[in-house]
Amino acid sequence: AFSTCTSLENVEFMTPSTLQYVASRSFEQCSSIKQISFPLSVTDFGWNILHQCSSLEQITISQSVDVKRLGLENKSIKINNH
């Protein structure tokens, strides 16, 4: 969807949201993303959606999501749970 979009910095979804799935590599190599907040309605993610997002500092995500699937290389990213 936004893969390799280098000008994208912050991502928030409209609420309420009916989005349930984020496809693999949707935000891969978006090197300027600093913050992304997924709505509670998202319960399934493809692999590596945040792979090589080198500026990512914080994500907000449902507590039930397995963050290992997201492709986070940077272990210092703050993860907030809904």
Side-chain angles (χ1 to χ4, degrees), residues 2 8-13 19 22 26-28 30 32-39 45 49-50 53 55-62 70 72 77-80 82:
F2 296 97
L8 192 61
E9 291 185 11
N10 294 301
V11 180
E12 289 190 44
F13 295 85
L19 181 67
V22 178
S26 292
F27 297 97
E28 181 180 43
C30 292
S32 296
I33 289 181
K34 294 179 182 174
Q35 186 273 335
I36 189 165
S37 181
F38 294 103
F45 290 88
I49 64 162
L50 298 171
C53 292
S55 297
L56 188 63
E57 298 170 355
Q58 177 176 313
I59 65 171
T60 302
I61 198 163
S62 172
L70 304 181
L72 301 173
I77 295 171
K78 182 177 181 182
I79 299 173
N80 300 317
H82 291 279

Side-chain angles (χ1 to χ4, degrees), residues 60-71:
T60 302
I61 198 163
S62 172
Q63 195 169 3
S64 63
V65 172
D66 180 5
V67 295
K68 294 175 191 167
R69 297 185 64 164
L70 304 181

Side-chain angles (χ1 to χ4, degrees), residues 6-21:
T6 58
S7 61
L8 192 61
E9 291 185 11
N10 294 301
V11 180
E12 289 190 44
F13 295 85
M14 299 284 291
T15 55
S17 176
T18 58
L19 181 67
Q20 295 178 340
Y21 176 73

